[in-house]
Amino acid sequence: MTQTTPSSLAKASACRLCSRRSELLAGHRPRPNTAIALRPSVRHTARQTCVSRAGTGVQQPRTLGDDMIPSDAEVVPVEGVFRTGNNQKIRGKTVLVAGATGGVGSQVVQCLCNEGAKVRALVRDYSKVNSDMYSQNVEVIKGDVYQYMTLPAAMNGCDYVICATGSTDRLNPFGPFTVDYQGTRNLVAAAMQAKVKKFVLVTSIGTDDPLFPLNLLFGVLFWKKRAEEELQRSGLDYTIVRPGGLQNALPDRQREGGIVMAGPDTFGLPPRRTPGSILRRQVAEICVDALSEPAASNKVVEIVADQNEIVRSAAELFSNVQ
């Protein structure tokens, strides 16, 4: 392993989560079992846990992955810096993740593992399962949200559910109905039967607006809205998370901003606020925070990231939404 030098640490002193400068901690030790070799801890008042990448001065290649389709089910690599070990309330709890091989779902799985939760990944195709899931002792269960009979066994014994499913076949006119509506409806019914404590659903900004451009994809937002209504009528404790355009990574020289959270129908076509984008990892963290944050109970929230926004705690973000 390359030895960390003072010069290399100096280049890592800018926090990737909040882009603030912080004093380096003496006697830094690399964290074990991390995808990034060295992450010196830094502190500031805006966030208790904040980590930054320690580099050797070599620019790491990044690709911009923004397809504007929230809760998508594309298989993407899990990368980035996750907060770890802060959510004691879900440690040891069993969480079912639907859409676990997708863009947001895979990030949710990683975040839950970091928090010490017992993760049960619901997948339709074993061939799409990332090998990292098995190495982290994730329980992988084959099932199809459209086939209700596959769900009760997967749901049995679960404390929480996070649904990050989404239609991927852009040419299938029945995809949004089948996956985004009927599939979510089946999950909600199974969760009610299993008496889960919390159901977090990822949908999209624009679901309140029939004229939003994404509805050109066979009414995908229309059916997401119908799924939201099924969850809201279920009697389950819920949080509905509506992200903006989803990104895998930031463009070069663009810093990661704080999360802007607002109530339903805040972002969209004029006169609403212009919708922005957000990292899939940030969406995953909000979903995991929502499982145990009292202020997130029975709320619909819309989230984007802004470079000029300070980093706020999940409790503060959810509390500011009425």
Side-chain angles (χ1 to χ4, degrees):
M1 178 180 292
T2 303
Q3 184 175 2
T4 304
T5 64
S7 60
S8 63
L9 286 177
K11 295 173 183 176
S13 60
C15 172
R16 295 181 67 250
L17 294 182
C18 68
S19 302
R20 292 185 178 185
R21 307 291 294 183
S22 303
E23 293 181 359
L24 297 171
L25 297 181
H28 160 67
R29 295 180 180 177
R31 295 182 181 178
N33 300 325
T34 55
I36 300 172
L38 299 173
R39 296 174 177 168
S41 296
V42 295
R43 293 183 179 180
H44 55 69
T45 57
R47 197 175 202 162
Q48 291 182 343
T49 302
C50 188
V51 291
S52 63
R53 185 191 302 265
T56 59
V58 179
Q59 179 77 26
Q60 296 293 329
R62 292 179 179 177
T63 56
L64 177 61
D66 187 350
D67 60 5
M68 300 301 291
I69 306 296
S71 63
D72 60 334
E74 301 171 41
V75 179
V76 298
V78 176
E79 60 182 16
V81 180
F82 288 85
R83 291 172 295 147
T84 58
N86 298 323
N87 200 334
Q88 299 296 328
K89 294 181 181 179
I90 67 171
R91 183 175 295 276
K93 302 295 185 180
T94 302
V95 185
L96 179 70
V97 181
T101 59
V104 172
S106 58
Q107 303 275 355
V108 168
V109 169
Q110 180 66 57
C111 192
L112 287 168
C113 288
N114 291 347
E115 297 290 357
K118 297 178 181 177
V119 183
R120 186 176 296 172
L122 183 68
V123 302
R124 286 191 303 169
D125 187 353
Y126 283 129
S127 66
K128 293 183 178 181
V129 177
N130 192 309
S131 59
D132 289 342
M133 286 193 187
Y134 296 112
S135 65
Q136 296 179 100
N137 297 320
V138 173
E139 182 183 3
V140 180
I141 295 183
K142 188 173 183 178
D144 188 342
V145 293
Y146 189 61
Q147 303 295 329
Y148 177 81
M149 296 305 295
T150 67
L151 301 180
M155 195 76 68
N156 186 40
C158 288
D159 299 289
Y160 307 109
V161 177
I162 297 179
C163 176
T165 57
S167 175
T168 57
D169 188 352
R170 306 290 189 259
L171 300 179
N172 181 3
F174 300 106
F177 169 82
T178 302
V179 178
D180 295 284
Y181 170 64
Q182 188 61 55
T184 304
R185 183 183 181 187
N186 288 341
L187 272 175
V188 169
M192 292 171 62
Q193 183 179 5
K195 295 180 172 59
V196 302
K197 300 175 183 177
K198 180 83 178 208
F199 195 115
V200 176
L201 174 62
V202 183
T203 59
S204 171
I205 281 175
T207 54
D208 288 319
D209 185 2
L211 300 180
F212 200 81
L214 283 179
N215 269 318
L216 294 174
L217 297 175
F218 306 113
V220 60
L221 297 186
F222 172 85
W223 292 116
K224 286 182 184 292
K225 177 66 176 180
R226 305 288 81 75
E228 290 182 357
E229 293 169 347
E230 290 288 339
L231 177 57
Q232 289 172 306
R233 289 193 294 261
S234 69
L236 294 169
D237 185 10
Y238 69 85
T239 301
I240 297 172
V241 179
R242 298 175 176 177
L246 297 171
Q247 294 180 304
N248 293 333
L250 296 172
D252 289 341
R253 292 182 294 278
Q254 180 176 324
R255 66 184 184 183
E256 180 176 324
I259 293 175
V260 178
M261 181 180 290
D265 206 25
T266 298
F267 299 94
L269 299 177
R272 303 171 185 85
R273 295 168 61 180
T274 302
S277 59
I278 188 169
L279 292 172
R280 288 180 170 90
R281 173 176 53 77
Q282 291 176 302
V283 178
E285 290 179 348
I286 287 296
C287 290
V288 172
D289 285 334
L291 294 178
S292 59
E293 176 51 55
S297 180
N298 297 330
K299 284 185 178 179
V300 180
V301 297
E302 298 185 348
I303 55 174
V304 297
D306 188 333
Q307 293 185 67
N308 299 318
E309 183 71 14
I310 65 172
V311 177
R312 305 177 189 276
S313 68
E316 182 179 359
L317 289 170
F318 281 112
S319 295
N320 289 337
V321 177
Q322 302 302 317

